[in-house]
Amino acid sequence: NLLVPRAYVLTCVAATGLLLSVARRDGSSWSEIGLDRASLRSGLRWSAALLAVVLLGVAVAAALPATRPAFVDARAAGLSGTAVLVRTLVRIPLGTALLEEVAFRGVLYAMLARRHGVRAAVLGSSLLFGLWHVLPSLGLRDGNAAVGSLFGAGPEAAVAAVAAAVAGTAAAGLVFCEVRRRSGGLLAPFALHWALNSVTLAAAWVLGGRYRLRARLAAGGMGAVWVADDAVLGRQVAVKVLGEALAGDGLAAERLR
C-alpha cells in the first residue's frame, strides 16, 4: 500500500503463497488450513447463502435513514466506475480477501490450533486480525462522514476511532472463524469477506457521493480533472481527484481547498 501501491494484488498473491509454504513446512495439512477438496461443496452452499445475506443487509442499511449516512465515504465517492469494478472484481478478492483469509483463518488458525487448540486459534487469529487494521483505519475518521461525526475532532477522537475499528474487525474475525468452522474450510469466509467489502464499496459509491464522475478531462502530476454530476447543485461541474499517491496527503488536499 505504501511503497508500491500498483503492485498491491501481486504482493498479496505472493505473500499468500509464501504463507502457505510456511504452513506446509510447519506440518499443517491442507485440511487443517481449510483448503481441502472435501470442504468445497459445503463451502459453495455457505457462500451462496452468505452472499444473499450481505446483499439484503446492505440494501436494508442503505434504505434506512439511520444507517444510510454510513455510506457517505469520500474515498468511494472519488472513484470512477472502472475503478470500482477493478476493486470489487480484482483488488478485493485477489488482494485483500485472499491474503487475509489465508493468513488469519487459514495458516495462523491451523498453526495455533495444532499447538494450543481451536479456542486459542479463534481468539489469537481474531485479535491479530483486528490489530492488522490499525494502519488502514487511520484515515477512516476523515474519509467517512458518519465516523467523523460520531468521534469528532482531535487526537483523542482519532485514537478512539482507530480503537473502535480494531475492535470491530476483531469481532468480524470471530465471525469469519465461526463461518470457517461451520463450513469446514476457507471458501465460505473468503466469499463473505469479498462480498462485505465489495458490496459496501459499491453501495457507498452509488449512494454516498455528492459527485458522480462522468469523463476525465485532463490528468497531471497531482491527479485528474473530471466532468461530474453534482447531486446537490443539479448540474455538471469540474472535479479534481487526487492521484493515489497523494490521496492520503492532508497537505495536498488543503492546498486544493
Side-chain angles (χ1 to χ4, degrees), residues 1-2 8 75 96 100 129-141 162 165-166 169:
N1 276 333
L2 297 177
Y8 176 77
R75 297 165 298 178
T96 307
E100 293 183 356
F129 183 61
L131 293 174
W132 171 264
H133 287 83
V134 169
L135 288 178
S137 64
L138 291 179
L140 181 62
R141 187 172 56 110
V162 171
V166 168
T169 48

Side-chain angles (χ1 to χ4, degrees), residues 73-212:
D73 194 303
R75 297 165 298 178
L79 296 174
S80 66
T82 301
V84 171
L85 284 176
V86 170
R87 288 177 183 243
T88 57
L89 299 180
V90 179
R91 185 181 176 92
I92 291 175
L94 299 182
T96 307
L98 177 65
L99 174 60
E100 293 183 356
E101 291 311 310
V102 169
F104 294 100
R105 261 69 64 181
V107 171
L108 183 59
Y109 184 101
M111 295 172 71
L112 286 175
R114 288 176 60 234
R115 290 168 171 80
H116 306 290
V118 173
R119 178 175 295 182
V122 170
L123 294 177
S125 63
S126 298
L127 175 61
L128 290 174
F129 183 61
L131 293 174
W132 171 264
H133 287 83
V134 169
L135 288 178
S137 64
L138 291 179
L140 181 62
R141 187 172 56 110
D142 296 326
N144 187 283
V147 175
S149 175
L150 178 63
F151 289 97
E156 296 84 2
V159 172
V162 171
V166 168
T169 48
L174 294 174
V175 174
F176 288 137
C177 282
E178 182 62 13
V179 171
R180 183 215 196 277
R181 187 186 70 82
R182 289 179 177 270
S183 66
L186 282 183
L187 179 58
F190 166 79
L192 176 59
H193 199 153
W194 180 9
L196 280 170
N197 286 23
S198 296
V199 174
T200 52
L201 171 64
W205 181 71
V206 171
L207 301 175
R210 172 178 176 177
Y211 304 104
R212 178 66 56 82

